[in-house]
Amino acid sequence: MKLVAWNVNGIRAILKKDFEKSLNALDPDIISLGEIKLTEGMQFPIIPEGYECFYTVSKVKKGYSGVAVLSRLHPKSIWFGLENKEYDDEGRIITLEFNNFYYVAVYSPNSQDGLLRLPYRVEYEKKLREYLVKLSKSKSVILAGDLNVAHNPIDIKNAKANEGCSGYTIEERTCFNELLDSGFTDAYRYLYPEKVEYSWWSYRFNARERNAGWRIDYFVISNDLREKLINSTIHTDIYGSDHCPISIEIKL
């Protein structure tokens, strides 16, 4: 099975940038799309043949955040936000339940300039971790999306220069450690412990051309799925957003 996650930085914008061609090339069984930037009440603008579409949008700010999942597999159940719908006000989380796994698509909040939202972010991480641990007690979990954190120095081009910046604070990195310590694995880093690739580049200073990027998009899987991993890929050759898509191939 092939699973893909991609922060598209606006689904309507990326449709003008060969998104359909890229989707056909990726050929996923499930793809989650982050930061779709739709407004409540809007229809999802593309549902390819053979896929079902599930999406959520921000209710507090128009054209902000939002997550979508396109799936060839029909889920047993689906819900938005955490169990009590927390964080669905910003369109952050969708969970699809299948026979032997949960697929949790997320777009994690950014701590923002000046770290104004860091306390909110840390609380989000705690509640998301507790939610994933609870799910994992009944079946395997796959977390996919833009987690807005570079975990280790290998995951960011200029680690020293960015220490303490949004996405590379000790608080955010510690939260990621705590998630992994709770029974989960960074799929890409499990297969490629020393490989240097990035999934996001600033639009400024020709960052992508210089490959001055960050790896902030992840598949995080329950530890019991490690041996079922076949591959994990960062598709740096696919454009259209400031992020590139990532994928895993896994036996499920």
Side-chain angles (χ1 to χ4, degrees):
M1 184 175 293
K2 187 175 185 182
L3 311 177
V4 174
W6 193 0
N7 179 321
V8 294
N9 196 12
I11 185 63
R12 289 170 295 172
I14 204 170
L15 280 174
K16 303 172 184 177
K17 302 175 183 178
D18 291 328
F19 174 75
E20 292 183 70
K21 181 179 178 180
S22 297
L23 182 61
N24 289 335
L26 289 164
D27 192 28
D29 294 293
I30 301 173
I31 181 170
S32 50
L33 306 173
E35 204 171 358
I36 58 173
K37 295 184 177 180
L38 292 180
T39 298
E40 194 169 14
M42 294 179 66
Q43 294 296 311
F44 201 76
I46 176 174
I47 304 177
E49 185 176 356
Y51 288 90
E52 292 182 80
C53 179
F54 310 93
Y55 65 103
T56 184
V57 302
S58 171
K59 287 79 172 173
V60 296
K61 186 177 178 181
K62 291 183 178 180
Y64 170 76
S65 188
V67 174
V69 180
L70 300 171
S71 178
R72 286 174 171 154
L73 287 71
H74 180 69
K76 293 179 63 177
S77 65
I78 178 170
W79 60 95
F80 304 97
L82 303 183
E83 284 183 302
N84 56 2
K85 287 190 173 291
E86 195 168 9
Y87 300 110
D88 194 46
D89 58 335
E90 292 191 0
R92 294 284 178 190
I93 305 164
I94 300 178
T95 301
L96 277 67
E97 179 188 8
F98 298 98
N99 286 335
N100 57 346
F101 69 100
Y102 292 103
Y103 187 92
V104 184
V106 303
Y107 171 48
S108 293
N110 189 295
S111 295
Q112 298 185 349
D113 292 340
L115 305 181
L116 297 177
R117 253 195 151 192
L118 183 59
Y120 178 89
R121 169 65 186 267
V122 170
E123 183 70 9
Y124 160 90
E125 293 288 351
K126 175 179 178 290
K127 292 179 179 179
L128 176 63
R129 182 178 70 254
E130 292 172 348
Y131 173 72
L132 297 174
V133 168
K134 185 173 182 178
L135 291 180
S136 70
K137 291 179 179 178
S138 61
K139 60 184 74 175
S140 301
V141 173
I142 297 173
L143 174 71
D146 176 2
L147 302 189
N148 256 319
V149 60
H151 184 209
N152 286 313
I154 193 174
D155 299 311
I156 183 171
K157 180 68 172 181
N158 298 304
K160 286 188 176 180
N162 285 287
E163 282 184 6
C165 294
S166 175
Y168 197 62
T169 63
I170 189 64
E171 292 88 349
E172 291 162 308
R173 296 165 64 199
T174 297
C175 286
F176 196 90
N177 286 334
E178 290 172 346
L179 174 60
L180 299 184
D181 290 343
S182 298
F184 297 93
T185 295
D186 175 351
Y188 177 84
R189 196 54 73 205
Y190 177 74
L191 293 177
Y192 304 108
E194 304 297 331
K195 197 171 184 179
V196 177
E197 289 185 298
Y198 307 120
S199 64
W200 173 80
W201 303 261
S202 170
Y203 279 132
R204 298 184 296 172
F205 311 121
N206 298 313
R208 190 157 186 174
E209 289 76 6
R210 296 185 297 108
N211 199 29
W214 301 40
R215 188 175 75 95
I216 60 175
D217 301 89
Y218 298 84
F219 276 96
V220 175
I221 62 175
S222 296
N223 287 346
D224 64 288
L225 293 177
R226 286 176 177 175
E227 302 309 314
K228 297 183 179 182
L229 267 178
I230 301 168
N231 200 9
S232 179
T233 305
I234 300 177
H235 298 271
T236 56
D237 58 326
I238 296 182
Y239 289 73
S241 169
D242 51 348
H243 296 248
C244 71
I246 62 170
S247 69
I248 59 172
E249 294 172 61
I250 189 168
K251 296 176 183 178
L252 291 170

